[in-house]
Amino acid sequence: MNAGRAAVALALALVACTSPSPPSLEPTATPTPAPSPTAEDTHVLGVIASVTGPSRLADRPFLDGMALAEAELNEGGGVAGRPLRLEVVDDAGDAAPPGRALSDVLRADGPDAILVVGEGGPIVDLRPEIQARGRPVVLLGADLYSDRLLYRQVFQTSPPLRWQARSVARYLTRDRAHRRIVAVQQPGDPARSAFLDELRRQGVDVEATLGLGDGRLADRAGGADALIALVDLERLDAVLRAVDRLDDPPQLVLPADLLRTDLDDIPPGTVAPGPYTWAPWARPISRVRAFRSSFRRRIGRLPVASEQEGYDAVRILAAGLEAGRAGDGLVRFLERHRPTGPVFSSTSVTLGPDDHLFQGELWLGLYAVPGPDERPEPWLVGTRWRPIVRTFSYTGQRTLYPERDRRVFFPFWRPGRPSPRFGRSRWGIVTGPEDPLH
């Protein structure tokens, strides 16, 4: 089972037990089903995901975000006057042969585009078939960009591990001035090696250890300034136990997929990368608030994060279909959105011809678990994570938020003025690098 998918699956299960207002996975409402039109008058998007099997909980948020987009588009008159339908194919997680579901969808009369949740391996293995069909494929919840495995027909919604590592590297070296940094990576999971590779390319001297046993890990982490835990949530508990045994524990750094959980025993000062429009926190931003409200009304719970990826993927594909694009024309439509593409629930979809990624690297910063005496934003329910505002900048001084969102954080700012300094934000963590916790 993919490490990221396992992490989210367990996170969703645990959140129901730890959140003060749990976002239950059982919906109290579902989107109004679309009518059942004939194939000739319907736009179809194929979806490969686990509806059953061990990955079903991990894939559920992506599917719920897609379902919300489908319902909203059809209630608004469809796409170019035609209904939109999601054709979901269950890959049954680890129970099915790799790539079988995707291979079945790659038929001559197949869907207008394909969305693949989770593992990216089948996309790599089936490259000749995908290129021959010429239709776009959108990958959600996994990373092919960091290992340079994307190609012209494939687009990716999640922030690459290399981008995450660069954000972490700036923070560890510039803000915290940490000297001894230890990383733990679970054996048999090479997927996150790109994170460590990029840290070293950025000049961070990382001591890597594969030991997850409490004794060995505690020994290696003793005296470290920071511990980067490149593990899934099932193994995070062993890391937390090891850190808890130390008299002077290191600062804990997690990958972006573990931002989706809020375990009570994650120590204050823990950081993880994420975009500033991360839905569980970013309610002040009007489009995120609208997305959260619509999602809760239709699905019956609040989003945990990856719903935004599913939602925005369907919306950008629908925009291309609305413009009359199909096949390679739809690929070209997606590539045109650079540097500022359409905005749906999150940041601009800025795919471009060079990277094929949904978000820009500038808008990826760090979130932190606050200390016990820090006052959280009044709307926060079910998560303690808050953005460290200075990490959404080049130099740690002036923020990089797009102009459309600056006044959400800086009400005094006006167009034409320099971007505001991070310490004047009314939301988030606005302390400087001298902050002893984060």
Side-chain angles (χ1 to χ4, degrees), residues 126-139:
L126 294 171
R127 177 170 179 166
E129 292 88 339
I130 292 172
Q131 289 180 319
R133 295 300 179 200
R135 304 171 190 139
V137 175
V138 179
L139 173 63

Side-chain angles (χ1 to χ4, degrees), residues 248-312:
D248 185 18
Q251 184 176 22
L252 190 60
V253 180
L254 306 178
D257 57 317
L258 294 189
L259 180 63
R260 296 169 180 169
T261 188
D262 194 42
L263 300 179
D264 290 335
D265 52 356
I266 293 182
T270 300
V271 296
Y276 76 94
T277 50
W278 183 59
W281 176 83
R283 198 181 74 176
I285 300 173
S286 60
R287 65 183 177 282
V288 180
R289 181 171 62 251
F291 167 77
R292 283 167 50 96
S293 298
S294 179
F295 189 89
R296 187 170 196 172
R297 183 173 63 253
R298 295 169 182 271
I299 306 299
R301 62 176 178 85
L302 287 173
V304 297
S306 45
E307 296 89 347
Q308 287 176 283
E309 294 184 33
Y311 180 86
D312 286 359

Side-chain angles (χ1 to χ4, degrees), residues 124-179:
V124 177
D125 296 338
L126 294 171
R127 177 170 179 166
E129 292 88 339
I130 292 172
Q131 289 180 319
R133 295 300 179 200
R135 304 171 190 139
V137 175
V138 179
L139 173 63
L140 302 98
D143 179 19
L144 292 180
Y145 174 88
S146 290
D147 290 326
R148 300 178 181 178
L149 294 174
L150 293 177
Y151 49 94
R152 187 166 183 272
Q153 288 75 24
V154 182
F155 301 84
Q156 177 176 313
T157 65
S158 299
L161 289 165
R162 292 193 183 275
W163 286 11
Q164 296 181 41
R166 287 201 283 265
S167 180
V168 167
R170 287 193 298 269
Y171 175 76
L172 293 178
T173 57
R174 183 185 65 198
D175 282 22
R176 310 306 293 160
H178 287 331
R179 295 184 179 276

Side-chain angles (χ1 to χ4, degrees), residues 4-342:
R5 297 172 90 182
V8 181
L10 188 54
L12 294 172
L14 289 173
V15 136
C17 302
T18 60
S19 298
S21 179
S24 170
L25 284 177
E26 293 302 324
T28 57
T30 55
T32 304
S36 301
T38 63
E40 289 75 16
D41 61 6
T42 307
H43 284 297
V44 178
L45 299 179
V47 181
I48 311 297
S50 293
V51 180
T52 61
S55 300
R56 67 188 185 282
L57 287 178
D59 292 4
R60 171 73 176 275
F62 295 100
L63 293 172
D64 284 346
M66 294 179 202
L68 174 61
E70 177 192 30
E72 289 182 351
L73 287 164
N74 285 332
E75 287 187 1
V79 177
R82 297 163 60 183
L84 177 72
R85 178 168 58 86
L86 299 179
E87 183 181 279
V88 180
V89 178
D90 182 13
D91 67 7
D94 295 343
R100 173 66 182 272
L102 179 56
S103 181
D104 289 345
V105 173
L106 289 171
R107 58 186 189 272
D109 61 343
D112 298 288
I114 303 171
L115 301 101
V116 179
V117 180
E119 292 282 358
I123 294 175
V124 177
D125 296 338
L126 294 171
R127 177 170 179 166
E129 292 88 339
I130 292 172
Q131 289 180 319
R133 295 300 179 200
R135 304 171 190 139
V137 175
V138 179
L139 173 63
L140 302 98
D143 179 19
L144 292 180
Y145 174 88
S146 290
D147 290 326
R148 300 178 181 178
L149 294 174
L150 293 177
Y151 49 94
R152 187 166 183 272
Q153 288 75 24
V154 182
F155 301 84
Q156 177 176 313
T157 65
S158 299
L161 289 165
R162 292 193 183 275
W163 286 11
Q164 296 181 41
R166 287 201 283 265
S167 180
V168 167
R170 287 193 298 269
Y171 175 76
L172 293 178
T173 57
R174 183 185 65 198
D175 282 22
R176 310 306 293 160
H178 287 331
R179 295 184 179 276
R180 182 165 179 256
I181 301 168
V182 176
V184 55
Q185 182 183 20
Q186 61 202 49
D189 178 25
R192 288 173 172 165
S193 296
F195 195 108
L196 294 178
D197 292 343
E198 189 62 33
L199 281 178
R200 294 189 178 102
R201 291 179 63 180
Q202 298 297 319
V204 179
D205 185 15
V206 182
E207 298 178 23
T209 174
L210 298 180
L212 281 166
D214 282 2
R216 182 184 173 190
L217 181 56
D219 291 342
R220 294 293 300 272
D225 297 312
L227 172 62
I228 302 172
L230 299 175
V231 299
D232 61 32
L233 193 62
E234 293 171 318
R235 293 170 176 82
L236 180 60
D237 186 59
V239 176
L240 295 175
R241 289 198 308 268
V243 169
D244 189 58
R245 291 172 52 187
L246 299 173
D247 293 332
D248 185 18
Q251 184 176 22
L252 190 60
V253 180
L254 306 178
D257 57 317
L258 294 189
L259 180 63
R260 296 169 180 169
T261 188
D262 194 42
L263 300 179
D264 290 335
D265 52 356
I266 293 182
T270 300
V271 296
Y276 76 94
T277 50
W278 183 59
W281 176 83
R283 198 181 74 176
I285 300 173
S286 60
R287 65 183 177 282
V288 180
R289 181 171 62 251
F291 167 77
R292 283 167 50 96
S293 298
S294 179
F295 189 89
R296 187 170 196 172
R297 183 173 63 253
R298 295 169 182 271
I299 306 299
R301 62 176 178 85
L302 287 173
V304 297
S306 45
E307 296 89 347
Q308 287 176 283
E309 294 184 33
Y311 180 86
D312 286 359
V314 170
R315 292 299 299 262
I316 186 62
L317 289 170
L321 296 172
E322 181 77 35
R325 303 297 189 267
D328 188 68
L330 184 53
V331 172
R332 291 197 304 273
F333 174 90
L334 298 177
E335 287 187 328
R336 283 206 306 270
H337 291 295
R338 178 179 183 162
T340 55

